[in-house]
């Protein structure tokens, strides 16, 4: 009986690590507080006065799997401090927003990430300056996300008293 309880406890611990208080990491940093519901995340942005980062990916996508692999072995640890300044949104497959604003410049490629202000409005001018300029919302590794969170935090902080 105690062994069975121990196994159940271990399974619950694993599930707790893979899913934060608001959603699942899906392999993109189990220690980050991801949201899997865009509407709920936007409501949180408005309530907390925080901007957001929306990562859109597909379970079958090779580039998305490569990005996910870059989060292994503690790679999300440096991101965690920057992520505290954002509502982090992780949308997969059918959760991809239908609204064209989440595909700036017609960007339909994946994985892509867009920044959203605290009012829930996509900020198409904040692009991945550390990636390929032909695909400005594409992220190929977790380090690019880390650097862009810091860059975007600076933009949002500089504009905190202005309308974004």
């Amino acid at each position: 009986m105690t062994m069975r309880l121990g196994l159940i406890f271990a399974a619950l611990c694993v599930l707790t690590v893979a899913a934060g208080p608001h959603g699942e990491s899906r392999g993109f940093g189990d220690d980050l507080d991801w949201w899997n519901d865009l509407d709920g995340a936007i409501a949180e942005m408005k309530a907390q006065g925080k901007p957001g980062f929306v990562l859109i990916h597909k379970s079958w996508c090779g580039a998305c799997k490569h990005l996910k692999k870059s989060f292994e072995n503690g790679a999300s640890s440096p991101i965690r401090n920057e992520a505290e300044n954002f509502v982090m949104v992780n949308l997969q497959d059918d959760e991809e927003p239908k609204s064209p604003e989440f595909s700036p410049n017609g960007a339909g490629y994946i994985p892509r990430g867009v920044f959203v202000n605290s009012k829930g409005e996509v900020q198409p001018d904040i692009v991945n300056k550390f990636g390929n300029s032909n695909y400005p919302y594409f992220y190929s590794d977790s380090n690019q996300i880390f650097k862009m969170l810091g860059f975007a935090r600076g933009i949002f902080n500089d504009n905190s008293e202005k309308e974004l």
Side-chain angles (χ1 to χ4, degrees), residues 57-79:
H57 59 97
K58 304 290 184 183
S59 57
W60 50 262
C61 164
C64 301
K65 290 176 185 177
H66 177 79
L67 175 60
K68 186 182 296 189
K69 190 162 182 60
S70 77
F71 275 84
E72 292 177 357
N73 301 321
S76 62
S77 293
I79 294 173

PDB file of all heavy atoms in Angstrom, residues 57-79:
ATOM      1  N   HIS A  57       3.090  27.579 -31.895  1.00  0.00           N
ATOM      2  CA  HIS A  57       3.840  26.451 -32.448  1.00  0.00           C
ATOM      3  C   HIS A  57       2.902  25.290 -32.754  1.00  0.00           C
ATOM      4  O   HIS A  57       1.739  25.305 -32.366  1.00  0.00           O
ATOM      5  CB  HIS A  57       4.946  26.021 -31.480  1.00  0.00           C
ATOM      6  CG  HIS A  57       4.434  25.602 -30.138  1.00  0.00           C
ATOM      7  ND1 HIS A  57       4.227  24.294 -29.798  1.00  0.00           N
ATOM      8  CD2 HIS A  57       4.071  26.329 -29.052  1.00  0.00           C
ATOM      9  CE1 HIS A  57       3.762  24.216 -28.570  1.00  0.00           C
ATOM     10  NE2 HIS A  57       3.663  25.450 -28.090  1.00  0.00           N
ATOM     11  N   LYS A  58       3.432  24.300 -33.442  1.00  0.00           N
ATOM     12  CA  LYS A  58       2.660  23.101 -33.808  1.00  0.00           C
ATOM     13  C   LYS A  58       3.397  21.857 -33.313  1.00  0.00           C
ATOM     14  O   LYS A  58       4.633  21.796 -33.348  1.00  0.00           O
ATOM     15  CB  LYS A  58       2.480  23.003 -35.328  1.00  0.00           C
ATOM     16  CG  LYS A  58       1.832  24.224 -35.958  1.00  0.00           C
ATOM     17  CD  LYS A  58       0.386  24.354 -35.595  1.00  0.00           C
ATOM     18  CE  LYS A  58      -0.231  25.539 -36.320  1.00  0.00           C
ATOM     19  NZ  LYS A  58      -1.602  25.779 -35.977  1.00  0.00           N
ATOM     20  N   SER A  59       2.638  20.858 -32.921  1.00  0.00           N
ATOM     21  CA  SER A  59       3.229  19.630 -32.396  1.00  0.00           C
ATOM     22  C   SER A  59       3.983  18.848 -33.466  1.00  0.00           C
ATOM     23  O   SER A  59       4.925  18.124 -33.156  1.00  0.00           O
ATOM     24  CB  SER A  59       2.146  18.753 -31.766  1.00  0.00           C
ATOM     25  OG  SER A  59       1.139  18.462 -32.713  1.00  0.00           O
ATOM     26  N   TRP A  60       3.621  19.011 -34.718  1.00  0.00           N
ATOM     27  CA  TRP A  60       4.225  18.253 -35.816  1.00  0.00           C
ATOM     28  C   TRP A  60       5.388  18.981 -36.496  1.00  0.00           C
ATOM     29  O   TRP A  60       6.062  18.431 -37.358  1.00  0.00           O
ATOM     30  CB  TRP A  60       3.168  17.942 -36.870  1.00  0.00           C
ATOM     31  CG  TRP A  60       2.364  19.151 -37.291  1.00  0.00           C
ATOM     32  CD1 TRP A  60       1.136  19.498 -36.817  1.00  0.00           C
ATOM     33  CD2 TRP A  60       2.740  20.173 -38.217  1.00  0.00           C
ATOM     34  NE1 TRP A  60       0.716  20.674 -37.392  1.00  0.00           N
ATOM     35  CE2 TRP A  60       1.689  21.114 -38.268  1.00  0.00           C
ATOM     36  CE3 TRP A  60       3.858  20.394 -39.019  1.00  0.00           C
ATOM     37  CZ2 TRP A  60       1.733  22.249 -39.081  1.00  0.00           C
ATOM     38  CZ3 TRP A  60       3.894  21.530 -39.825  1.00  0.00           C
ATOM     39  CH2 TRP A  60       2.836  22.433 -39.846  1.00  0.00           C
ATOM     40  N   CYS A  61       5.672  20.203 -36.123  1.00  0.00           N
ATOM     41  CA  CYS A  61       6.632  21.074 -36.811  1.00  0.00           C
ATOM     42  C   CYS A  61       8.074  20.775 -36.388  1.00  0.00           C
ATOM     43  O   CYS A  61       8.404  20.832 -35.203  1.00  0.00           O
ATOM     44  CB  CYS A  61       6.259  22.522 -36.497  1.00  0.00           C
ATOM     45  SG  CYS A  61       7.527  23.738 -36.841  1.00  0.00           S
ATOM     46  N   GLY A  62       8.952  20.528 -37.365  1.00  0.00           N
ATOM     47  CA  GLY A  62      10.356  20.256 -37.088  1.00  0.00           C
ATOM     48  C   GLY A  62      11.070  21.428 -36.440  1.00  0.00           C
ATOM     49  O   GLY A  62      11.853  21.253 -35.502  1.00  0.00           O
ATOM     50  N   ALA A  63      10.844  22.647 -36.945  1.00  0.00           N
ATOM     51  CA  ALA A  63      11.484  23.833 -36.357  1.00  0.00           C
ATOM     52  C   ALA A  63      10.991  24.061 -34.929  1.00  0.00           C
ATOM     53  O   ALA A  63      11.759  24.506 -34.061  1.00  0.00           O
ATOM     54  CB  ALA A  63      11.226  25.058 -37.224  1.00  0.00           C
ATOM     55  N   CYS A  64       9.728  23.754 -34.671  1.00  0.00           N
ATOM     56  CA  CYS A  64       9.173  23.898 -33.319  1.00  0.00           C
ATOM     57  C   CYS A  64       9.825  22.886 -32.376  1.00  0.00           C
ATOM     58  O   CYS A  64      10.139  23.212 -31.222  1.00  0.00           O
ATOM     59  CB  CYS A  64       7.665  23.695 -33.341  1.00  0.00           C
ATOM     60  SG  CYS A  64       6.781  24.853 -34.419  1.00  0.00           S
ATOM     61  N   LYS A  65      10.040  21.672 -32.862  1.00  0.00           N
ATOM     62  CA  LYS A  65      10.707  20.645 -32.053  1.00  0.00           C
ATOM     63  C   LYS A  65      12.142  21.063 -31.751  1.00  0.00           C
ATOM     64  O   LYS A  65      12.645  20.834 -30.647  1.00  0.00           O
ATOM     65  CB  LYS A  65      10.671  19.296 -32.772  1.00  0.00           C
ATOM     66  CG  LYS A  65       9.281  18.695 -32.825  1.00  0.00           C
ATOM     67  CD  LYS A  65       9.258  17.409 -33.631  1.00  0.00           C
ATOM     68  CE  LYS A  65       7.837  16.889 -33.766  1.00  0.00           C
ATOM     69  NZ  LYS A  65       7.781  15.688 -34.604  1.00  0.00           N
ATOM     70  N   HIS A  66      12.799  21.692 -32.716  1.00  0.00           N
ATOM     71  CA  HIS A  66      14.165  22.186 -32.501  1.00  0.00           C
ATOM     72  C   HIS A  66      14.170  23.274 -31.421  1.00  0.00           C
ATOM     73  O   HIS A  66      15.034  23.274 -30.532  1.00  0.00           O
ATOM     74  CB  HIS A  66      14.747  22.724 -33.818  1.00  0.00           C
ATOM     75  CG  HIS A  66      16.109  23.302 -33.670  1.00  0.00           C
ATOM     76  ND1 HIS A  66      17.241  22.529 -33.596  1.00  0.00           N
ATOM     77  CD2 HIS A  66      16.523  24.592 -33.554  1.00  0.00           C
ATOM     78  CE1 HIS A  66      18.296  23.311 -33.443  1.00  0.00           C
ATOM     79  NE2 HIS A  66      17.885  24.564 -33.418  1.00  0.00           N
ATOM     80  N   LEU A  67      13.219  24.194 -31.498  1.00  0.00           N
ATOM     81  CA  LEU A  67      13.113  25.241 -30.479  1.00  0.00           C
ATOM     82  C   LEU A  67      12.860  24.611 -29.110  1.00  0.00           C
ATOM     83  O   LEU A  67      13.492  24.981 -28.115  1.00  0.00           O
ATOM     84  CB  LEU A  67      11.998  26.229 -30.833  1.00  0.00           C
ATOM     85  CG  LEU A  67      11.689  27.306 -29.791  1.00  0.00           C
ATOM     86  CD1 LEU A  67      12.904  28.179 -29.520  1.00  0.00           C
ATOM     87  CD2 LEU A  67      10.507  28.158 -30.252  1.00  0.00           C
ATOM     88  N   LYS A  68      11.956  23.652 -29.055  1.00  0.00           N
ATOM     89  CA  LYS A  68      11.636  22.975 -27.795  1.00  0.00           C
ATOM     90  C   LYS A  68      12.891  22.318 -27.207  1.00  0.00           C
ATOM     91  O   LYS A  68      13.148  22.411 -26.012  1.00  0.00           O
ATOM     92  CB  LYS A  68      10.560  21.921 -28.036  1.00  0.00           C
ATOM     93  CG  LYS A  68      10.047  21.244 -26.792  1.00  0.00           C
ATOM     94  CD  LYS A  68       9.021  20.188 -27.096  1.00  0.00           C
ATOM     95  CE  LYS A  68       7.782  20.765 -27.706  1.00  0.00           C
ATOM     96  NZ  LYS A  68       6.680  19.797 -27.827  1.00  0.00           N
ATOM     97  N   LYS A  69      13.680  21.672 -28.058  1.00  0.00           N
ATOM     98  CA  LYS A  69      14.901  20.999 -27.599  1.00  0.00           C
ATOM     99  C   LYS A  69      15.875  21.998 -26.969  1.00  0.00           C
ATOM    100  O   LYS A  69      16.590  21.671 -26.015  1.00  0.00           O
ATOM    101  CB  LYS A  69      15.556  20.260 -28.757  1.00  0.00           C
ATOM    102  CG  LYS A  69      16.679  19.349 -28.350  1.00  0.00           C
ATOM    103  CD  LYS A  69      16.970  18.348 -29.437  1.00  0.00           C
ATOM    104  CE  LYS A  69      18.052  17.371 -29.056  1.00  0.00           C
ATOM    105  NZ  LYS A  69      17.762  16.573 -27.886  1.00  0.00           N
ATOM    106  N   SER A  70      15.863  23.235 -27.448  1.00  0.00           N
ATOM    107  CA  SER A  70      16.775  24.245 -26.896  1.00  0.00           C
ATOM    108  C   SER A  70      16.393  24.655 -25.469  1.00  0.00           C
ATOM    109  O   SER A  70      17.164  25.326 -24.793  1.00  0.00           O
ATOM    110  CB  SER A  70      16.840  25.475 -27.811  1.00  0.00           C
ATOM    111  OG  SER A  70      15.698  26.285 -27.675  1.00  0.00           O
ATOM    112  N   PHE A  71      15.212  24.251 -25.007  1.00  0.00           N
ATOM    113  CA  PHE A  71      14.783  24.535 -23.641  1.00  0.00           C
ATOM    114  C   PHE A  71      15.232  23.463 -22.652  1.00  0.00           C
ATOM    115  O   PHE A  71      15.040  23.595 -21.453  1.00  0.00           O
ATOM    116  CB  PHE A  71      13.255  24.669 -23.569  1.00  0.00           C
ATOM    117  CG  PHE A  71      12.751  26.030 -23.908  1.00  0.00           C
ATOM    118  CD1 PHE A  71      12.555  26.402 -25.233  1.00  0.00           C
ATOM    119  CD2 PHE A  71      12.468  26.952 -22.920  1.00  0.00           C
ATOM    120  CE1 PHE A  71      12.077  27.656 -25.561  1.00  0.00           C
ATOM    121  CE2 PHE A  71      12.000  28.216 -23.240  1.00  0.00           C
ATOM    122  CZ  PHE A  71      11.811  28.570 -24.553  1.00  0.00           C
ATOM    123  N   GLU A  72      15.828  22.363 -23.154  1.00  0.00           N
ATOM    124  CA  GLU A  72      16.242  21.273 -22.285  1.00  0.00           C
ATOM    125  C   GLU A  72      17.453  21.664 -21.444  1.00  0.00           C
ATOM    126  O   GLU A  72      18.148  22.630 -21.735  1.00  0.00           O
ATOM    127  CB  GLU A  72      16.589  20.035 -23.124  1.00  0.00           C
ATOM    128  CG  GLU A  72      15.386  19.411 -23.796  1.00  0.00           C
ATOM    129  CD  GLU A  72      15.743  18.227 -24.677  1.00  0.00           C
ATOM    130  OE1 GLU A  72      16.943  17.900 -24.830  1.00  0.00           O
ATOM    131  OE2 GLU A  72      14.810  17.635 -25.225  1.00  0.00           O
ATOM    132  N   ASN A  73      17.699  20.867 -20.423  1.00  0.00           N
ATOM    133  CA  ASN A  73      18.878  21.008 -19.559  1.00  0.00           C
ATOM    134  C   ASN A  73      18.976  22.377 -18.893  1.00  0.00           C
ATOM    135  O   ASN A  73      20.043  22.983 -18.856  1.00  0.00           O
ATOM    136  CB  ASN A  73      20.158  20.700 -20.351  1.00  0.00           C
ATOM    137  CG  ASN A  73      20.150  19.301 -20.919  1.00  0.00           C
ATOM    138  OD1 ASN A  73      19.699  18.371 -20.263  1.00  0.00           O
ATOM    139  ND2 ASN A  73      20.607  19.152 -22.146  1.00  0.00           N
ATOM    140  N   GLY A  74      17.860  22.880 -18.422  1.00  0.00           N
ATOM    141  CA  GLY A  74      17.874  24.119 -17.654  1.00  0.00           C
ATOM    142  C   GLY A  74      17.993  25.397 -18.447  1.00  0.00           C
ATOM    143  O   GLY A  74      18.235  26.454 -17.885  1.00  0.00           O
ATOM    144  N   ALA A  75      17.832  25.306 -19.760  1.00  0.00           N
ATOM    145  CA  ALA A  75      17.984  26.507 -20.592  1.00  0.00           C
ATOM    146  C   ALA A  75      16.942  27.570 -20.268  1.00  0.00           C
ATOM    147  O   ALA A  75      17.149  28.741 -20.558  1.00  0.00           O
ATOM    148  CB  ALA A  75      17.909  26.139 -22.075  1.00  0.00           C
ATOM    149  N   SER A  76      15.820  27.173 -19.664  1.00  0.00           N
ATOM    150  CA  SER A  76      14.799  28.172 -19.350  1.00  0.00           C
ATOM    151  C   SER A  76      15.112  28.934 -18.063  1.00  0.00           C
ATOM    152  O   SER A  76      14.463  29.930 -17.768  1.00  0.00           O
ATOM    153  CB  SER A  76      13.419  27.520 -19.263  1.00  0.00           C
ATOM    154  OG  SER A  76      13.381  26.564 -18.224  1.00  0.00           O
ATOM    155  N   SER A  77      16.117  28.500 -17.314  1.00  0.00           N
ATOM    156  CA  SER A  77      16.446  29.185 -16.051  1.00  0.00           C
ATOM    157  C   SER A  77      16.727  30.669 -16.242  1.00  0.00           C
ATOM    158  O   SER A  77      16.186  31.498 -15.503  1.00  0.00           O
ATOM    159  CB  SER A  77      17.617  28.495 -15.363  1.00  0.00           C
ATOM    160  OG  SER A  77      17.213  27.216 -14.941  1.00  0.00           O
ATOM    161  N   PRO A  78      17.571  31.078 -17.205  1.00  0.00           N
ATOM    162  CA  PRO A  78      17.782  32.521 -17.383  1.00  0.00           C
ATOM    163  C   PRO A  78      16.509  33.235 -17.849  1.00  0.00           C
ATOM    164  O   PRO A  78      16.290  34.397 -17.510  1.00  0.00           O
ATOM    165  CB  PRO A  78      18.862  32.622 -18.455  1.00  0.00           C
ATOM    166  CG  PRO A  78      19.331  31.256 -18.742  1.00  0.00           C
ATOM    167  CD  PRO A  78      18.402  30.292 -18.086  1.00  0.00           C
ATOM    168  N   ILE A  79      15.680  32.543 -18.593  1.00  0.00           N
ATOM    169  CA  ILE A  79      14.438  33.138 -19.100  1.00  0.00           C
ATOM    170  C   ILE A  79      13.482  33.438 -17.955  1.00  0.00           C
ATOM    171  O   ILE A  79      12.740  34.415 -17.994  1.00  0.00           O
ATOM    172  CB  ILE A  79      13.766  32.199 -20.137  1.00  0.00           C
ATOM    173  CG1 ILE A  79      14.646  32.082 -21.374  1.00  0.00           C
ATOM    174  CG2 ILE A  79      12.371  32.691 -20.515  1.00  0.00           C
ATOM    175  CD1 ILE A  79      14.162  31.048 -22.372  1.00  0.00           C
TER     176      ILE A  79
END
